[in-house]
Amino acid sequence: MTQAEDFSAVGKQRVRTIWISDVHLGTRDCQAEKLAGFLKEYECDQLYLVGDIIDGWRLRKSMYWPQSHTNVIRRILTMSKRGTRVTYVTGNHDEFLRRYAALNIGNILLVDEAEHVTADGRKLLVIHGDQFDVITRCHRWLAFLGDHAYEFSLRLNRWLNYWRSRCGYGYWSLSGYLKHRVKKAVNFISEFEEALAHECRKRDLQGVVCGHIHHAEIREVSGISYHNCGDWVESCTALIEHWDGSITQYRWSEAETAPAPDAQAGKLPEVA
């Protein structure tokens, strides 16, 4: 029995592995309170942080770091101290950490990618996924432009959901709608999934766990088990491996109905 299994707290669920990605600490749309709440509910042997945990792109432009973001870091450090092995897989928004790849501090390992073996013996590639995004890899200026467009859609989404909550409607994701409805976005997601599946076949791996595109998914892609963690900006999702090796998706129960942050204070959220 590991140290993580030895530690037990009332109300906590014990699982084998947890994966989270695309938290984007340092941005106003990060759902840090919900993530800290989720991490308090579980204890695990292995925690994978699958990239874009800290948003270095945004922090270079302006400094935003409330206490709730510090609380997430403290929660992860506490889990590590209590025996959870933490593997931080770097992404494109926290690429400043890639120069320190293979750094091992206590129970925390910093890597560019990892290989995870499930309880039932399957080998999974754990990678953020930006390496398989042609725009991010070959057209960096387009990636920055897309980031600005996504940031604007989140601000617009905050404003729309303020009025939806005033009218008694639940949370609605503008960017999620566009991802499912715009043909180019759907094609991009499909090509991204196929590229990762192809890489797994090349390496003789049975599956992949990734992030990057903020689109939570568990499905078979060309015979490969594809798992995307989603994000903690809108969908508030994670992946959990149970003791039999099965992997399920976790979704924060309040994510669909939570009003925009500023709406709770009775103020119209800023769009720009």
Side-chain angles (χ1 to χ4, degrees):
M1 184 175 290
T2 66
Q3 285 178 286
E5 288 179 274
D6 283 336
F7 173 75
S8 181
V10 176
K12 281 182 177 284
Q13 297 184 54
R14 290 193 301 183
V15 296
R16 189 168 187 262
T17 312
I18 292 175
W19 292 269
I20 59 173
S21 76
D22 297 275
V23 180
H24 292 275
L25 294 171
T27 68
R28 295 183 183 277
D29 292 291
C30 167
Q31 302 285 345
E33 297 91 346
K34 294 177 181 179
L35 176 56
F38 162 64
L39 293 176
K40 286 180 182 177
E41 292 178 6
Y42 288 87
E43 56 184 33
C44 58
D45 276 359
Q46 179 84 49
L47 171 65
Y48 286 96
L49 310 175
V50 194
D52 287 3
I53 304 303
I54 300 171
D55 197 320
W57 289 12
R58 205 66 53 80
L59 287 173
R60 280 200 296 266
K61 294 193 301 179
S62 61
M63 188 63 193
Y64 177 78
W65 195 274
Q67 181 62 42
S68 60
H69 293 205
T70 299
N71 292 343
V72 170
I73 300 296
R74 291 179 64 184
R75 171 54 46 185
I76 292 170
L77 292 175
T78 297
M79 293 173 71
S80 172
K81 182 179 178 181
R82 290 173 172 170
T84 297
R85 299 187 305 278
V86 178
T87 302
Y88 192 132
V89 180
T90 56
N92 54 309
H93 281 256
D94 45 23
E95 62 187 353
F96 65 93
L97 294 172
R98 284 180 171 164
R99 70 186 72 176
Y100 308 109
L103 179 66
N104 195 343
I105 305 175
N107 223 14
I108 302 176
L109 177 64
L110 183 68
V111 296
D112 291 337
E113 62 179 62
E115 184 179 303
H116 177 78
V117 181
T118 62
D120 55 359
R122 291 175 296 140
K123 294 181 180 179
L124 307 179
L125 173 65
V126 182
I127 191 168
H128 180 62
D130 60 289
Q131 302 90 331
F132 298 88
D133 178 350
V134 175
I135 293 175
T136 300
R137 192 175 71 247
C138 303
H139 305 285
R140 192 172 176 82
W141 67 274
L142 275 177
F144 280 108
L145 184 63
D147 183 60
H148 284 296
Y150 181 62
E151 182 182 359
F152 175 76
S153 74
L154 290 176
R155 290 180 178 178
L156 181 60
N157 205 51
R158 235 182 289 154
W159 186 82
L160 288 172
N161 278 291
Y162 167 79
W163 288 108
R164 283 177 62 85
S165 66
R166 297 273 292 196
C167 296
Y169 294 101
Y171 179 83
W172 179 75
S173 172
L174 172 62
S175 66
Y177 174 82
L178 294 175
K179 284 177 185 177
H180 285 90
R181 296 291 181 176
V182 177
K183 184 178 180 181
K184 285 187 177 180
V186 173
N187 289 342
F188 169 79
I189 291 173
S190 177
E191 290 169 4
F192 176 81
E193 294 170 347
E194 286 289 347
L196 280 165
H198 177 70
E199 183 66 19
C200 288
R201 285 195 299 273
K202 279 174 53 180
R203 302 193 192 190
D204 195 26
L205 301 174
Q206 289 74 55
V208 62
V209 177
C210 62
H212 186 56
I213 59 173
H214 294 212
H215 182 69
E217 188 83 85
I218 298 178
R219 71 185 190 94
E220 290 290 312
V221 177
S222 302
I224 296 296
S225 298
Y226 172 86
H227 311 82
N228 194 299
C229 304
D231 65 273
W232 286 86
V233 176
E234 291 186 276
S235 62
C236 297
T237 52
L239 297 172
I240 295 175
E241 180 194 2
H242 303 279
W243 297 105
D244 62 355
S246 62
I247 298 175
T248 58
Q249 185 187 104
Y250 171 98
R251 184 179 295 271
W252 182 261
S253 60
E254 296 177 4
E256 297 296 326
T257 57
D262 291 329
Q264 294 179 358
K267 298 185 295 182
L268 182 68
E270 295 179 2
V271 177

